[in-house]
Amino acid sequence: MYSLYREPGVLLWRGFTMQEFANQCFGNNIGHGKGRQMPIHYGSKKLNYITISSPLATQLPQAVGMAYSLKMDKKDACVVAFFGDGTTSEGDFHAALNFAAVMDAPVVFICRNNGWAISTQVTEQFRSDGVVVKGQAYGIPSIRVDGNDALAVYNVVRSARETAINEQRPILIEAMTYRVSHHSTSDDSTKYRSKDVIEYWNTVHSPITRLRNWVERKGWWSDKEESELRIHTMKQVKHAIDEAEKEEMPLLRDMFTDVYDDLPSNLMEQETLVRETIQRHPKDFPKDMPL
């Protein structure tokens, strides 16, 4: 799995615990990143989920390389790479698709087209008919799906995975959806779009509401079960946060470990300089910093 910022559900489904999410966000000593990554940049070697990188499209050429290695080793598996519509304006996206097509790499590209790259809407990003035609232009079988229809997405992804593995070739999926929230905590999306549009997508066309209505009509869900689930989940989240806050911060030396088997001289020098800086300016650093 090569993800971006909006796919924690994949990790949750695979078994990443609420506590592991909280530990990473707080950057404590037992978090998988040991405080060296931004919050929500999750990763899990155990779950085959490559740690998220901040720059857009970085993960796409890497995903193709990983998929080609699976092909060379004759593995019965494929790679899945997630990205947004804004990512398709990056050069790495085009390089990745071209390599995947030429090398027949078993990779499923899933583009989450939510209409916005921060405050830039898709009509200002490109002139093509969405993203699906970009895959076709590189000779990659591509399909567009209603990204707010959970059942449709499930069926399309399942079929794409089977094709990628059985036929050893790349597939591109464009899931059409809408970003109802602000891009980030520093963004106020009401400055560049209507509140009425946001409300429409958040209620009438919400994928959660649509799926809930369907399972309720089947008799598989109810208001009582919904309420119980929300209460239980909130308790889980609060407990995970409380536990994550209690954990110690990573040791200073962890800033330099886990890359090389034997620490090279330049990193040793950097660690020495950091420690000397802390000793010279103790007031500029937390008193409880584990050294």
Side-chain angles (χ1 to χ4, degrees):
M1 302 297 307
Y2 283 81
S3 183
L4 203 56
Y5 319 124
R6 303 187 188 275
E7 288 80 37
V10 175
L11 264 178
L12 193 64
W13 181 86
R14 287 191 164 204
F16 205 68
T17 67
M18 204 74 76
Q19 194 60 61
E20 288 176 304
F21 280 111
N23 291 336
Q24 195 282 328
C25 285
F26 279 84
N28 62 32
N29 193 42
I30 60 175
H32 72 85
K34 297 181 181 178
R36 295 171 300 201
Q37 265 283 14
M38 292 175 63
I40 77 168
H41 285 41
Y42 309 113
S44 174
K45 183 177 181 180
K46 177 180 64 177
L47 301 175
N48 294 331
Y49 194 99
I50 307 301
T51 301
I52 297 168
S53 299
S54 292
L56 294 183
T58 297
Q59 77 277 20
L60 299 186
Q62 298 169 357
V64 176
M66 175 63 75
Y68 190 59
S69 72
L70 293 176
K71 182 173 186 172
M72 292 176 66
D73 292 339
K74 298 183 176 2
K75 298 288 187 180
D76 185 27
C78 69
V79 171
V80 176
F82 289 94
F83 53 98
D85 49 277
T87 296
T88 68
S89 298
E90 297 287 334
D92 277 358
F93 165 80
H94 297 276
L97 261 64
N98 191 49
F99 271 108
V102 172
M103 307 304 289
D104 281 325
V107 54
V108 179
F109 296 104
I110 302 181
C111 176
R112 174 195 354 89
N113 187 344
N114 63 26
W116 297 92
I118 309 183
S119 59
T120 304
Q121 54 187 328
V122 290
T123 54
E124 297 175 356
Q125 291 183 55
F126 39 75
R127 288 289 181 264
S128 61
D129 178 16
V131 175
V132 69
V133 295
K134 298 185 180 185
Q136 295 167 351
Y138 283 103
I140 295 177
S142 306
I143 185 171
R144 177 178 290 159
V145 63
D146 181 353
N148 285 8
D149 184 335
L151 300 179
V153 172
Y154 172 80
N155 286 318
V156 165
V157 173
R158 181 178 61 177
S159 177
R161 178 185 179 276
E162 291 174 354
T163 300
I165 294 175
N166 297 334
E167 299 181 16
Q168 291 292 287
R169 62 189 302 186
I171 307 288
L172 184 144
I173 298 170
E174 181 183 17
M176 305 301 291
T177 182
Y178 192 81
R179 194 197 77 211
V180 296
S181 65
H182 307 301
H183 173 76
S184 66
T185 53
S186 61
D187 175 44
D188 180 4
S189 62
T190 61
K191 294 184 180 298
Y192 52 82
R193 59 182 183 173
S194 166
K195 291 183 180 180
D196 292 338
V197 173
I198 298 173
E199 182 64 18
Y200 168 77
W201 284 94
N202 199 30
T203 53
V204 178
H205 209 50
S206 165
I208 297 174
T209 301
R210 289 171 64 179
L211 182 62
R212 181 183 173 184
N213 289 340
W214 183 75
V215 295
E216 284 182 343
R217 286 197 299 270
K218 293 286 187 179
W220 299 336
W221 199 244
S222 66
D223 288 342
K224 180 183 177 182
E225 290 168 305
E226 177 82 12
S227 177
E228 290 174 350
L229 176 64
R230 287 179 177 274
I231 292 171
H232 175 68
T233 303
M234 288 299 294
K235 288 180 178 178
Q236 278 187 303
V237 172
K238 187 178 185 305
H239 176 74
I241 290 173
D242 290 342
E243 292 300 309
E245 286 183 313
K246 295 176 185 177
E247 293 293 334
E248 293 184 354
M249 292 297 103
L251 294 171
L252 178 63
R253 66 167 178 265
D254 286 334
M255 287 178 62
F256 308 95
T257 57
D258 297 337
V259 177
Y260 300 96
D261 186 29
D262 295 314
L263 207 62
S265 58
N266 64 314
L267 288 186
M268 291 181 182
E269 180 182 355
Q270 288 179 32
E271 182 179 353
T272 299
L273 288 172
V274 171
R275 292 184 182 278
E276 290 175 350
T277 301
I278 294 173
Q279 289 176 352
R280 287 198 307 269
H281 308 282
K283 294 182 180 180
D284 294 334
F285 297 88
K287 294 180 180 179
D288 59 347
M289 175 182 286
L291 300 175

